[in-house]
Amino acid sequence: MSKQHPIIAVTGSSGAGTTTVRRAFADLFRRLQIQAAWIQGDGFLRHERSAMRDKIDAATTQSRRFSHFHPDANLLDKLEALFLEYAQSGTGMTRNYAHDDAEAARFGTQSGKFTPWQALPADTDVLFYEGHHGGFSQPGSKTAKRIQIAEQVDLLLGVTPSVNLEWIQKIHHDCGRSGCGEQLVIDTILHRMPDYVDYIVPQFARTHINVQRVPLVDTSHPFVARDIPGADESIVVIHLRDPRQFDFPELLKKIDGAQMTRRNTMLVPGGKMTLAIEIICTPLIAEMIAARDTVTG
């Protein structure tokens, strides 16, 4: 953690809604005139698309599990090193991964490929990470290196929709972007479920804020659902780890339709998710920047 170079991370699986949270922070940063270094978690994958498919096929043949969630499929030591360097000096190296042709054109590479490693922009105010491992923690052992990414993060958000909703969103997302078949996406979901339980779920116990979207329509059979439940067809559960940081009566006034379900848990309409994140996080970020300015001043 660093007052001078704070780090914000959003963690969750593909289809969970981390991109929605990132957009909320982009609006928040724009309003507060904050310059952010944006980090894509997939840039720290170990393998490009074709090599990853080969690794998964080989693991399946040997009755082993291997997915994008697994530590061995990622360069988590490099991600931890980036967070440590940024916290100390506001610098570091990152790269991007092109998921589709549109991103390939934007990044100047091919779909399924990485860009070269490059330095972060100079003079940024915060680092913002979106990916699978922003809250990852692994004690050292004879077979595994100690990795403590979560310890470097100043504000950690987990995005955890109900499982069926997450599956529906992933099927629509992956089939629409990469053109792969629905059955392939279903196989991927089932294959990586043990890694999700072992490596993603524990991160949500380390977060400062958890955001969970819950559908209000029938999603009992997610693999035949034709549509993703819309914002008005869902509610959002927001859990705040330390309720002492927040003025809940004031939050309820600012978010129409919000209510408290526990002393540190709010329920907001699905259409108010982005607004709620901005309202909740704006004073936290403003406090971060004020502390940073005090140090740099």
Side-chain angles (χ1 to χ4, degrees):
M1 291 187 174
S2 168
K3 284 188 176 182
Q4 189 170 358
H5 305 289
I7 296 172
I8 302 166
V10 177
T11 190
S13 70
S14 305
T18 57
T19 300
T20 300
V21 176
R22 176 175 57 78
R23 290 171 182 157
F25 272 90
D27 290 340
L28 189 160
F29 292 158
R30 198 160 36 244
R31 240 186 15 258
L32 296 179
Q33 298 183 323
I34 292 172
Q35 297 297 317
W38 298 93
I39 301 299
Q40 180 194 63
D42 284 353
F44 289 82
L45 289 170
R46 188 177 297 275
H47 308 290
E48 295 181 324
R49 183 177 294 151
S50 60
M52 186 63 184
R53 286 173 177 167
D54 290 342
K55 292 286 184 181
I56 291 173
D57 290 344
T60 302
T61 300
Q62 300 168 16
S63 298
R64 294 185 295 107
R65 52 181 170 137
F66 191 73
S67 75
H68 290 90
F69 297 150
H70 198 284
D72 291 345
N74 294 268
L75 302 174
L76 297 184
D77 54 343
K78 282 187 174 293
L79 181 61
E80 181 185 42
L82 167 65
F83 282 15
L84 285 166
E85 180 178 347
Y86 187 86
Q88 182 176 3
S89 62
T91 60
M93 301 290 289
T94 188
R95 65 181 179 181
N96 290 303
Y97 175 81
H99 296 87
D100 51 32
D101 290 340
E103 287 190 350
R106 188 164 86 248
F107 297 146
T109 186
Q110 298 177 356
S111 179
K113 301 285 188 180
F114 296 116
T115 64
W117 292 96
Q118 56 189 354
L120 296 178
D123 301 322
T124 56
D125 300 307
V126 300
L127 182 148
F128 185 93
Y129 166 92
E130 176 202 357
H132 298 152
H133 297 96
F136 186 82
S137 179
Q138 173 180 275
S141 68
K142 291 182 179 179
T143 58
K145 180 181 177 182
R146 182 181 185 272
I147 301 289
Q148 296 294 335
I149 294 171
E151 291 184 2
Q152 319 310 323
V153 179
D154 298 273
L155 178 61
L156 178 60
L157 289 85
V159 185
T160 60
S162 62
V163 170
N164 283 13
L165 175 58
E166 182 175 330
W167 290 348
I168 293 170
Q169 291 184 159
K170 180 165 178 59
I171 290 169
H172 282 255
H173 179 269
D174 286 10
C175 289
R177 182 162 69 175
S178 58
C180 61
E182 183 175 296
Q183 187 58 49
L184 179 60
V185 183
I186 293 172
D187 291 344
T188 299
I189 290 171
L190 297 176
H191 174 80
R192 69 183 192 170
M193 185 53 63
D195 284 343
Y196 180 86
V197 172
D198 285 349
Y199 302 115
I200 303 299
V201 171
Q203 297 183 57
F204 301 132
R206 306 179 190 115
T207 52
H208 300 97
I209 301 171
N210 280 331
V211 181
Q212 183 174 21
R213 191 157 75 92
V214 181
L216 297 176
V217 294
D218 181 27
T219 60
S220 54
H221 195 332
F223 301 135
V224 299
R226 297 297 98 189
D227 300 298
I228 300 173
D232 294 334
E233 299 174 318
S234 61
I235 55 174
V236 178
V237 180
I238 303 177
H239 174 80
L240 307 166
R241 187 172 72 184
D242 185 358
R244 295 169 299 179
Q245 290 184 285
F246 304 95
D247 183 346
F248 287 105
E250 191 63 27
L251 289 177
L252 295 178
K253 290 179 185 178
K254 294 179 178 179
I255 306 170
D256 189 34
Q259 58 181 292
M260 301 298 298
T261 56
R262 286 188 176 178
R263 61 185 291 269
N264 59 345
T265 304
M266 296 178 62
L267 197 67
V268 304
K272 302 292 185 180
M273 175 175 166
T274 300
L275 174 65
I277 291 170
E278 291 188 34
I279 289 175
I280 290 169
C281 293
T282 292
L284 302 179
I285 304 304
E287 184 177 337
M288 271 187 198
I289 299 303
R292 177 183 185 274
D293 292 343
T294 299
V295 173
T296 57

